Amino acid sequence: MKPFSSLSDIRIHLKSGELTCLSLVEYYLEKIENSKTNSFIEVYKEDAIKRAKEIDAKIKTSTEKKLAGLIIGVKDNISVKNKPLTASSKILKNFHSIYNSTAVKRLLNEDAIVIGRLNCDEFAMGSSNENSCYGPTFNPHDVSKVPGGSSGGSAAAVAEDLCLASLGSDTGGSIRQPASFCGVIGLKPTYGRVSRHGLIAYGSSFDQIGPITKSIEDSALIMEVISGKDDFDSTCSFENVPSYSKSLSLDSKQLRIAVPKEYLDADGLDDEIKSCFIDKLNKLKSLGHVIEKVSFPYVKSLVPAYYVLTTAEASSNLARFDGAHYGFRSNEAIDIDSTYVKSRSEGFGLEVKRRIMLGTFVLSAGYYDAYYTKALKVRRIIKDTTQEIFKTFDLIMLPTTPSTAFGLNEIKDPIKMYLQDIFTVQANIAGIPAISIPKGNHTNNMPFGIQLMADLFEEEKLLACASYMMNELN
Ligand code: GLN
């Protein structure tokens, strides 16, 4: 069987009878078995086969729903009913989810098949997928390199063709950065576009679930299914959900694209990525679009503000993992104090502990105003300045990452790792939607992405522009 690159391609073969969901599931199961990336940490073999047979029966009577044939993997911080859910952390060992996340429930209602659970950085904290209790995921393009993180398993699995699509989560770039490193498409929706019900919380005012796919069409299809109001998440928007997959052509002949110039001067931006990015801008100009350099003078404040705010939120969110409520409890726990202290000391990994401590510090009485309140003010300025740009522009365009995938164990300094997020966190701080499309091939043979951002709830425009650029920018 050849690798499929979109659901519509699969659907043609399913409809003609040349392909069945069962044979498709068997194809992916075999590929997972022979995978070299450690992206799947659990495969739902029996369930997937059973569901494939049920959906094949529906296809015979033409009663299947719109995602029939979509074989999808789910990041290990998004709940699937009756399956283990660990956020790749020892502290959630043996924890099983008793309900489906809203995103998964909506996919299942449209006849998607969930094939398994995907590796990630512990509690979605990381940019390399090296912080996982299951060991790192490897980049399918070069297994000596990282796939990016935290949704490293989600991106590597799609790139290695172990499933057609996957769900990831993005708090500061965790969908887009691995998509860029692995050469696939990753979309982070507007904050509040997709319900967070059933997503293990990291930074609750930033977290969003989104799709990783090989085609824009599939990204749009998944988005129109998983988006929209949800009684289980009060931060989820009531805003109408357009049929994203039906509006992938551009309305306007001339796009106005802003390029914040400070980013291109950022330390550590790879020369080839920069020159390829500039080539793409020139190509867009020659196609009649308006490209303008704008000023966004807060680039240096993005990563610090992000890490103050997200660690603060994480320190509060992760307080519930105490050895009593969920998963792991230390064998040495004998009373309430030792249950908390030993279970948390043994259960959390190094990076998660670092962030809990940092978050607790910035929220502590003596430092709250100096760090937390100040970061909130910076967030407001970043949001307002971003919003201002969209008054006169359709898109902001940037590289997705400063470099291509780096080597395993290459980045040991946490600050250096945090700086990997320089191009991605603006979208999370401002709450806007952003997408990474694979549009570069480095002479080191690794892929990299170009990132587009649009105004709040403009996923429809974002996807249409991404689709246009996938076709026009070669
Ligand atoms: N690399 C960022 C972090 O470690 C982003 C993570 C994410 O988006 N979940 O926080």
Side-chain angles (χ1 to χ4, degrees):
M1 200 179 289
K2 69 169 174 100
F4 289 101
S5 57
S6 70
L7 183 60
S8 59
D9 194 12
I10 289 177
R11 294 293 287 248
I12 293 169
H13 293 82
L14 284 175
K15 279 307 216 187
S16 71
E18 288 160 67
L19 182 70
T20 60
C21 287
L22 181 61
S23 59
L24 195 59
V25 164
E26 284 167 344
Y27 162 79
Y28 287 124
L29 288 173
E30 194 186 323
K31 293 215 64 172
I32 295 171
E33 191 131 327
N34 297 315
S35 156
K36 52 183 187 189
T37 59
N38 194 31
S39 12
F40 273 93
I41 48 193
E42 186 177 350
V43 183
Y44 309 146
K45 187 172 172 184
E46 269 82 52
D47 300 280
I49 290 177
K50 183 164 168 271
R51 249 180 92 74
K53 289 179 181 162
E54 287 164 11
I55 294 164
D56 281 333
K58 289 193 190 177
I59 293 173
K60 282 217 171 91
T61 54
S62 294
T63 52
E64 82 280 12
K65 303 274 194 50
K66 76 174 172 204
L67 297 184
L70 179 75
I71 316 294
I72 192 162
V74 176
K75 183 176 179 179
D76 186 30
N77 63 350
I78 301 169
S79 59
V80 178
K81 191 173 175 178
N82 297 331
K83 298 293 179 202
L85 178 68
T86 75
S88 292
S89 180
K90 185 175 163 195
I91 209 156
L92 277 171
K93 207 173 136 206
N94 303 327
F95 176 72
H96 284 64
S97 175
I98 53 169
Y99 61 87
N100 276 322
S101 53
T102 298
V104 165
K105 190 164 134 201
R106 289 180 181 173
L107 291 174
L108 293 173
N109 284 344
E110 290 298 333
D111 286 346
I113 297 176
V114 175
I115 196 162
R117 181 159 70 92
L118 293 160
N119 206 348
C120 59
D121 281 301
E122 186 178 3
F123 285 101
M125 297 176 188
S127 306
S128 67
N129 212 133
E130 292 169 295
N131 308 328
S132 163
C133 71
Y134 304 103
T137 300
F138 308 107
N139 193 308
H141 297 275
D142 176 348
V143 289
S144 72
K145 302 233 153 66
V146 304
S150 64
S151 314
S154 301
V158 173
E160 207 191 359
D161 194 40
L162 309 182
C163 46
L164 183 68
S166 63
L167 288 184
S169 67
D170 194 312
T171 305
S174 278
I175 289 176
R176 291 158 288 153
Q177 185 252 21
S180 172
F181 279 9
C182 293
V184 289
I185 298 165
L187 177 108
K188 180 206 93 80
T190 304
Y191 182 78
R193 181 69 300 186
V194 177
S195 167
R196 291 181 295 113
H197 176 62
L199 169 67
I200 296 180
Y202 159 20
S204 310
S205 75
F206 297 78
D207 301 338
Q208 271 294 285
I209 294 175
I212 295 183
T213 57
K214 293 186 200 173
S215 70
I216 298 290
E217 218 183 308
D218 288 353
S219 185
L221 261 176
I222 293 173
M223 277 302 293
E224 71 194 31
V225 170
I226 65 176
S227 300
K229 71 172 163 50
D230 180 20
D231 291 344
F232 294 110
D233 175 5
S234 60
T235 63
C236 194
S237 171
F238 281 67
E239 189 96 11
N240 171 50
V241 181
S243 302
Y244 299 122
S245 66
K246 298 213 169 61
S247 39
L248 287 177
S249 48
L250 278 187
D251 297 340
S252 99
K253 292 258 174 312
Q254 189 181 58
L255 292 171
R256 291 185 50 79
I257 302 172
V259 180
K261 58 178 190 290
E262 291 80 358
Y263 276 109
L264 297 182
D265 301 328
D267 287 345
L269 173 57
D270 177 276
D271 289 340
E272 248 184 77
I273 295 186
K274 185 171 172 176
S275 68
C276 164
F277 178 74
I278 292 171
D279 282 353
K280 306 290 179 211
L281 295 179
N282 288 335
K283 176 79 201 274
L284 286 166
K285 251 188 227 165
S286 72
L287 289 165
H289 303 290
V290 177
I291 312 285
E292 254 176 56
K293 292 251 169 83
V294 298
S295 178
F296 182 77
Y298 307 108
V299 169
K300 289 214 162 75
S301 308
L302 289 167
V303 170
Y306 169 81
Y307 277 94
V308 169
L309 295 171
T310 53
T311 56
E313 294 186 20
S315 70
S316 161
N317 276 327
L318 271 57
R320 72 191 73 170
F321 304 107
D322 55 8
H325 292 90
Y326 300 92
F328 174 79
R329 175 179 302 171
S330 167
N331 288 332
E332 288 168 45
I334 44 169
D335 55 13
I336 185 105
D337 280 348
S338 61
T339 301
Y340 288 179
V341 173
K342 299 260 181 215
S343 303
R344 285 170 71 83
S345 301
E346 291 168 30
F348 286 132
L350 191 66
E351 181 58 28
V352 172
K353 286 182 195 161
R354 180 182 292 126
R355 295 195 190 198
I356 292 173
M357 285 193 281
L358 185 58
T360 311
F361 172 76
V362 301
L363 290 177
S364 60
Y367 294 97
Y368 190 93
D369 283 338
Y371 293 103
Y372 186 66
T373 310
K374 193 161 177 192
L376 283 178
K377 289 180 182 160
V378 174
R379 183 179 203 178
R380 167 53 62 196
I381 294 170
I382 291 169
K383 264 186 165 170
D384 291 349
T385 315
T386 306
Q387 223 64 70
E388 201 54 41
I389 296 176
F390 289 121
K391 282 192 181 146
T392 43
F393 290 94
D394 296 298
L395 295 174
I396 295 176
M397 190 165 153
L398 287 177
T400 310
T401 50
S403 67
T404 55
F406 44 89
L408 285 152
N409 297 315
E410 187 183 322
I411 301 188
K412 297 197 174 72
D413 174 5
I415 305 277
K416 215 170 158 208
M417 192 65 96
Y418 299 166
L419 287 169
Q420 293 299 315
D421 305 330
I422 175 117
F423 295 119
T424 47
V425 291
Q426 184 182 354
N428 305 77
I429 294 175
I432 56 173
I435 192 167
S436 176
I437 55 172
K439 272 292 152 198
N441 279 307
H442 201 277
T443 47
N444 66 12
N445 292 323
M446 298 303 285
F448 58 90
I450 281 179
Q451 185 182 200
L452 309 175
M453 303 179 206
D455 203 356
L456 298 167
F457 295 99
E458 285 197 335
E459 278 81 359
E460 194 172 11
K461 184 196 273 180
L462 186 69
L463 284 158
C465 292
S467 171
Y468 171 81
M469 291 191 197
M470 284 295 283
N471 296 328
E472 298 296 329
L473 293 184
N474 288 315

